[in-house]
Every structure is written in structure tokens, then in C-alpha cells.
Amino acid sequence: MDLSLVDIIKTSIRERGFMTTADYMALCLGHPKHGYYMTRDPFGVNGDFVTAPEISQMFGEMIGLWCADLWIKMGRPTPFALVELGPGRGTLMEDVLRTTRAMEGFHATKQLYLMEMSPVLQSAQRQKLAGYNPEWIVDIAQIPEGMPVIIVANEFLDALPVRQMLRENNRWYERVLVLDKNDTLGFAKKEADLRMVEGLPPQITGAREDGLFEMSPVLNHVVKSVGILLQKQKGVALFLDYGHAKSAYGETLQAVKNHEYVPIFDTPGMADLTAHVDFENLGKIAQGQGMAVHGPTTQGAFLKELGIEVRAERLKAHATQDQRADLDSGLKRLIDTDQMGTLFKVLALCDDPNMEIAGFHDRLS
Ligand code: SAH
């Protein structure tokens, strides 16, 4: 019998008594047959949401310049691994590669690695990046030994599953999914696993108030693997995502469908599920591994420092009136504070403490 995703989730809850929000998120997004990313291309006006590289080519162009600048500062390593985590349609990487074409040696010496779980999106990437000989990986550790790396990841970390730890009257619980009397999915709380509580940041465990704290063991694992790779092979990693600069209480797990928020239980596997990234946690993990941490800064400050406004003017000089209006609105969406400019944060990691990394002048304290 072919079970629906809802049936699969309910069966698992009946067997185990509950399901963590992280397991729910992982199934909804990544179930091989029914997972949201596994079955569709979710981007664009006719999809569910729009990401920065899909808004304007200028986003990927700035990241391309950033990569080229670092490649030079790293001493033009030959060969080097250019890596993207969660490349979506491949639009960001295509813009990065177009922008770096004029950079002598960059294309000839780069080996392109894409970490992508979705067969549908892999096929979009295969088409878009056909001329660049990409290889797909399932784990960062697959990048060949000895190759210095430049890693970029836009809106990748927010797709990694989070668990929700709940403090009430000074006791820690975990918020989990259960089935109610009517066999409907809902939330309940259970005693927290002590190991999870031990992993919470001290400013949260030491705080007086109650609240809900989200943590992602998978994200922590990904960041640690990136740190190990950078330490071993040298290089940089750039993360852009929506999230907060400081670890804090707050529920951010959300579902989006057709550009609108929907309740997270309504349409398992048919809506995007994301959670805000805790950039302080990310930085702390990397620092613990001896990485130099740059940022977080805001996406607006990062892109402006890299010269996105100058780039917009230059493109506008040769554009039609319609194109000029598109460039203006794309720029606004990417950098304005009431758009993506402030909610989205940027953070870079590097093994070399002396490396100067562009874009982080306005670090958020
Ligand atoms: N970076 C792209 C897409 C962001 S959406 C953009 O900015 O447009 C998130 C991407 O991460 C998708 O490509 C999704 O399939 C991929 N993804 C999510 N979880 C993943 C995982 N655990 N492993 C590999 N890829 C994953």
C-alpha cells in the first residue's frame, strides 16, 4: 500500500508516542517520495517563495566578486573546490561563475561541488550549470583531500530541522507532535532529554524567564563539518540566511505556501518549512574549532559594502526603462531594511585569522 506522508507521520507517532519537530521537518522536506524539496521546484512567482538570487542577478554577482577576491587573497590555489550547499535552481552559482569568468585562472582551476538532496533541483542545476562540469555530493567530507575550499550557502541552513525546547516554571520540556483523540496532529510537551538541555547556551539556561528555544543538531553538525574541512584544507565559508544575531527565545518554525504563511500541520510535504538561523550559535561553534568568524552583519550592509549600488547604476546605464525599474526594485528588495536587508544576516568563517574578508565592516555586536 502506498502511504501518504500524513499516514507515515501518524504511524510513526503511534509507534513511538510522539515525533520531534525536527523529525517532522526532516520528513516534510526530505522524505524521498513525498518531501517538499524532493518533488518540486518551489521557487518563483508561480512557486511558494522567492530567494535573493532569484530576485536579481546582482546578488550572485556580488558573491562572485567576493569569491574571486578571496581566491586571490588565498594565493590563487590550484586546484580549488568551489562548493555550494543547497543550490536551488543553480541561479546563484551561475551568476557567480559568469562574474568570475574574466578572472584569469579562476575557471580553469575550480572544481565545482554541489550538495543538493533534491533530484528535481539537481536536474535544474545540471541544466543550468552544464558548461561547468559540476559534481554532486551528499556530504562535505567528500570534497577531495588537499583542495582549498570556497563554500557558499544561501537559505540552506534555514531548511535544516530544529527541535523546540520549552522552559516552563524553570523546568525543561521538549515540544513534540502527538495525535489527539480525533487522530489529528497537534503539539504536546514531554520531559526534555538532559543531553539536549546541556547543549543549550548558558544565557538561555541561565535566564530567569520561561520560553521556547529552537536548536538544530543537524545544523550544528553541518557547521562542525565545515569547520573541520576548512581547518584541514584551508578556505572560507559564507552563510546567508534569515535569522538572529544573538541566541534568544522565540518560535520561528514556519510553513510557507504560495507566498503565504500556513499552519505547519495543514499540508505536510506541500509547504516549505523553515526556522530562523541562530547566528551566535553558528559563530560559537566555529570559534570553538579555532575558526576566525566574520559577522554576522546584515545582508544590506554586506551587499552595499561589496558595491551593489554601484553595480545597479552601471547596469541601469545600458538598460531599457522597464529593466531600470526591475533593477531598482530588485536592489530595494535585497538591501532595504523593511525588505531582506536587515532580517537576512551574513556570516563568514575562515581558517586563517589574518585573512581580510570583504563585507563585514558593519558587524552586529
Ligand atoms: N540557495 C538557493 C535555494 C535555497 S532553498 C537559493 O538561494 O535560491 C534550500 C535548498 O537547500 C534547496 O536546494 C534544497 O533542496 C536544499 N536542501 C535542503 N536541505 C538539504 C539537505 N539536508 N541536504 C542537501 N540539500 C538540502
Side-chain angles (χ1 to χ4, degrees):
M1 195 178 59
D2 202 12
L3 289 179
S4 71
L5 189 57
V6 177
D7 289 333
I8 293 168
I9 290 163
K10 286 185 174 177
T11 305
S12 166
I13 294 179
R14 276 185 213 112
E15 278 167 9
R16 202 173 160 206
F18 67 92
M19 179 179 281
T20 65
T21 52
D23 288 346
Y24 178 72
M25 208 172 156
L27 278 173
C28 288
L29 295 180
H31 184 277
K33 192 147 173 230
H34 306 289
Y36 177 75
Y37 280 113
M38 310 303 266
T39 51
R40 77 198 70 220
D41 173 341
F43 307 104
V45 186
N46 300 320
D48 292 316
F49 60 96
V50 182
T51 57
E54 303 295 336
I55 289 173
S56 167
Q57 67 181 74
M58 294 185 289
F59 181 77
E61 289 172 347
M62 291 305 113
I63 303 216
L65 293 176
W66 187 90
C67 290
D69 176 54
L70 275 158
W71 179 69
I72 294 168
K73 286 174 179 159
M74 283 161 65
R76 300 176 193 254
T78 307
F80 78 101
L82 182 58
V83 185
E84 185 171 359
L85 313 180
R89 283 179 174 167
T91 308
L92 169 59
M93 191 46 79
E94 190 188 32
D95 290 336
V96 164
L97 289 166
R98 190 187 58 255
T99 310
T100 48
R101 206 154 34 200
M103 175 71 52
E104 214 186 304
F106 189 96
H107 274 225
T109 60
K110 61 109 195 36
Q111 175 60 50
L112 188 56
Y113 294 97
L114 306 173
M115 190 164 107
E116 173 57 66
M117 69 173 179
S118 157
V120 178
L121 293 173
Q122 272 188 15
S123 117
Q125 294 153 18
R126 187 167 292 120
Q127 275 184 19
K128 198 164 258 181
L129 302 170
Y132 300 106
N133 206 15
E135 276 179 44
W136 282 268
I137 54 173
V138 292
D139 192 316
I140 290 163
Q142 283 171 268
I143 294 161
E145 268 182 49
M147 262 196 205
V149 287
I150 298 180
I151 301 176
V152 297
N154 184 60
E155 288 207 45
F156 167 69
L157 297 177
D158 68 59
L160 302 180
V162 291
R163 288 173 75 162
Q164 295 190 320
M165 310 309 291
L166 193 62
R167 176 153 132 177
E168 275 179 24
N169 299 323
N170 236 354
R171 291 181 68 99
W172 281 101
Y173 301 90
E174 178 162 7
R175 191 199 241 184
V176 292
L177 276 74
V178 291
L179 290 170
D180 67 14
K181 295 193 289 292
N182 308 319
D183 206 40
T184 310
L185 285 171
F187 279 129
K189 62 179 191 213
K190 70 179 234 350
E191 200 83 16
D193 180 339
L194 270 183
R195 282 166 308 181
M196 293 295 290
V197 178
E198 277 162 17
L200 298 175
Q203 69 268 42
I204 297 296
T205 45
R208 293 238 174 86
E209 330 82 71
D210 288 343
L212 185 148
F213 187 77
E214 291 172 337
M215 66 188 305
S216 172
V218 178
L219 181 146
N220 294 355
H221 174 76
V222 169
V223 175
K224 278 184 198 147
S225 328
V226 168
I228 290 168
L229 186 76
L230 297 184
Q231 201 98 48
K232 225 171 47 185
Q233 321 199 168
K234 301 194 177 313
V236 290
L238 181 70
F239 294 101
L240 305 101
D241 230 304
Y242 52 149
H244 31 275
K246 291 275 168 210
S247 300
Y249 278 138
E251 181 181 355
T252 70
L253 175 59
Q254 64 185 29
V256 168
K257 195 168 185 291
N258 292 328
H259 304 268
E260 295 200 350
Y261 295 111
V262 292
I264 69 162
F265 298 134
D266 273 18
T267 48
M270 287 185 276
D272 187 30
L273 283 177
T274 59
H276 285 199
V277 174
D278 176 351
F279 279 93
E280 182 176 2
N281 166 56
L282 207 168
K284 275 193 181 150
I285 293 174
Q287 249 159 6
Q289 294 177 295
M291 291 290 114
V293 177
H294 300 261
T297 187
T298 62
Q299 177 170 301
F302 178 76
L303 293 175
K304 282 198 262 183
E305 193 179 323
L306 296 181
I308 196 166
E309 289 158 314
V310 178
R311 178 65 182 149
E313 285 310 312
R314 199 160 294 164
L315 287 169
K316 274 162 69 180
H318 304 285
T320 63
Q321 200 158 359
D322 282 355
Q323 289 168 332
R324 278 206 292 274
D326 276 353
L327 286 163
D328 279 336
S329 78
L331 181 66
K332 273 176 86 64
R333 282 180 74 181
L334 292 176
I335 65 173
D336 274 13
T337 47
D338 59 349
Q339 307 263 335
M340 299 173 87
T342 306
L343 179 58
F344 278 72
K345 311 285 188 299
V346 191
L347 182 136
L349 309 177
C350 183
D351 66 294
D352 176 357
N354 300 317
M355 180 73 75
E356 273 185 41
I357 298 196
F360 295 95
H361 205 74
D362 280 337
R363 186 191 167 127
L364 297 164
S365 56

